[in-house]
Amino acid sequence: MGDRQHKTALFDQFARVGKALASGKRLELLDLLAQGERDVASVAAAADVGVSTASAHLQTLRQANLVTTRRDGTRILYSLAGRDVADLFARLREVAQSHLPDVEAARVTYLGEDGGRPVTRDELHRLAKTTTVTVLDVRPREEYAAGHIPGAVSIPLDQLADRLAELPNDGQIVAYCRGAYCVLAHDAVRLLRAHGRDAIRLADGMLEWRLASLPVAA
């Protein structure tokens, strides 16, 4: 049998990852970095925290080797350490959704209803082949540039109301954003329907699209 002290030391190493993930704000930062690399100022703005707070959270994630950095001139860019980190984040959400009743209540309160059944990735593929569909990416422009569904049109949510004329009047619009728990696509569908457009959303988003090894354009 193995030595108890050594076994404890091994499991303490596993716990380092759990400790790094034990913060809702750090999970939000992982969600952002799953869309592409960002500097600390961009992360802070997107997560609505101060730069020093964002930096501290990123350092905790880095100490657990969940994120990595690279220098671009004077900027330090952060990114996920690997696809397995994105998968861990996605699975953590799935386990929470399955086992914690409060998650569903919080999800509905945050995302709200958009009045329609979302389409799956497989359904989107079929729609694209058989009907006139506009795939609309409503994430910020830098996230679209880092990787998007091939053929998707980029109109960030905060510009959508002013750029409706850029979308065709006929056919269906399928909006998507960061992932299954991202509110941007919900808000986009509500706005589009209020203006008489036939709009639905993708059931998940770019995180799940990448994890499914589907084509990504950049």
Side-chain angles (χ1 to χ4, degrees), residues 110-167:
Y110 174 55
L111 299 178
E113 298 295 338
D114 52 28
R117 185 184 71 83
V119 298
T120 66
R121 282 172 258 121
D122 288 341
E123 289 171 332
L124 178 58
H125 280 299
R126 289 196 295 271
L127 284 171
K129 291 179 181 178
T130 60
T131 61
T132 302
V133 172
T134 299
V135 180
L136 176 63
D137 188 318
V138 295
R139 298 174 299 158
R141 184 69 187 181
E142 63 269 24
E143 295 181 19
Y144 175 86
H148 55 269
I149 295 175
V153 175
S154 173
I155 303 181
L157 178 65
D158 60 2
Q159 301 174 21
L160 184 57
D162 295 326
R163 296 176 60 185
L164 288 174
E166 298 178 29
L167 296 169

Side-chain angles (χ1 to χ4, degrees), residues 75-90:
R75 300 164 67 217
I76 302 296
L77 298 175
Y78 290 82
S79 61
L80 297 188
R83 175 192 172 93
D84 55 348
V85 178
D87 187 54
L88 173 64
F89 170 61

Side-chain angles (χ1 to χ4, degrees), residues 13 34 66 71 76 84 95 97 102-103 105 109 161 180 187 204 211:
Q13 289 301 310
L66 297 178
R71 183 175 292 277
I76 302 296
D84 55 348
V95 170
Q97 178 80 49
D102 290 344
V103 171
T109 298
D187 286 346
D204 41 46
L211 290 175

Side-chain angles (χ1 to χ4, degrees), residues 96-109:
Q97 178 80 49
S98 296
H99 295 278
L100 296 175
D102 290 344
V103 171
E104 178 60 15
R107 186 193 70 81
V108 171
T109 298

Side-chain angles (χ1 to χ4, degrees):
M1 294 181 64
D3 180 86
R4 162 51 61 184
Q5 183 177 358
H6 292 161
K7 182 175 183 179
T8 298
L10 172 61
F11 277 77
D12 282 345
Q13 289 301 310
F14 297 152
R16 290 176 62 192
V17 172
K19 290 177 181 177
L21 298 178
S23 161
K25 188 55 68 174
R26 286 197 288 276
L27 293 179
E28 185 178 348
L29 300 193
L30 290 181
D31 189 32
L32 293 168
L33 294 178
Q35 307 302 310
E37 62 180 5
R38 309 175 86 120
D39 63 20
V40 65
S42 173
V43 168
D48 196 24
V49 295
V51 170
S52 61
T53 299
S55 180
H57 282 309
L58 289 169
Q59 289 309 309
T60 299
L61 292 169
R62 189 182 182 193
Q63 288 164 8
N65 288 334
L66 297 178
V67 303
T68 59
T69 61
R70 73 175 182 89
R71 183 175 292 277
D72 180 25
T74 60
R75 300 164 67 217
I76 302 296
L77 298 175
Y78 290 82
S79 61
L80 297 188
R83 175 192 172 93
D84 55 348
V85 178
D87 187 54
L88 173 64
F89 170 61
R91 289 181 179 276
L92 184 153
R93 297 184 318 178
E94 291 171 3
V95 170
Q97 178 80 49
S98 296
H99 295 278
L100 296 175
D102 290 344
V103 171
E104 178 60 15
R107 186 193 70 81
V108 171
T109 298
Y110 174 55
L111 299 178
E113 298 295 338
D114 52 28
R117 185 184 71 83
V119 298
T120 66
R121 282 172 258 121
D122 288 341
E123 289 171 332
L124 178 58
H125 280 299
R126 289 196 295 271
L127 284 171
K129 291 179 181 178
T130 60
T131 61
T132 302
V133 172
T134 299
V135 180
L136 176 63
D137 188 318
V138 295
R139 298 174 299 158
R141 184 69 187 181
E142 63 269 24
E143 295 181 19
Y144 175 86
H148 55 269
I149 295 175
V153 175
S154 173
I155 303 181
L157 178 65
D158 60 2
Q159 301 174 21
L160 184 57
D162 295 326
R163 296 176 60 185
L164 288 174
E166 298 178 29
L167 296 169
N169 289 317
D170 59 340
Q172 195 167 54
I173 300 170
V174 179
Y176 76 91
C177 53
R178 292 168 180 149
Y181 298 88
C182 175
V183 74
L184 302 179
H186 289 73
D187 286 346
V189 168
R190 285 187 280 263
L191 188 154
L192 289 165
R193 287 184 172 174
H195 286 81
R197 303 301 182 96
D198 180 9
I200 54 177
R201 62 180 173 84
L202 187 62
D204 41 46
M206 204 62 214
L207 170 64
E208 295 84 359
W209 186 274
R210 288 181 185 273
L211 290 175
S213 298
L214 292 170
V216 175

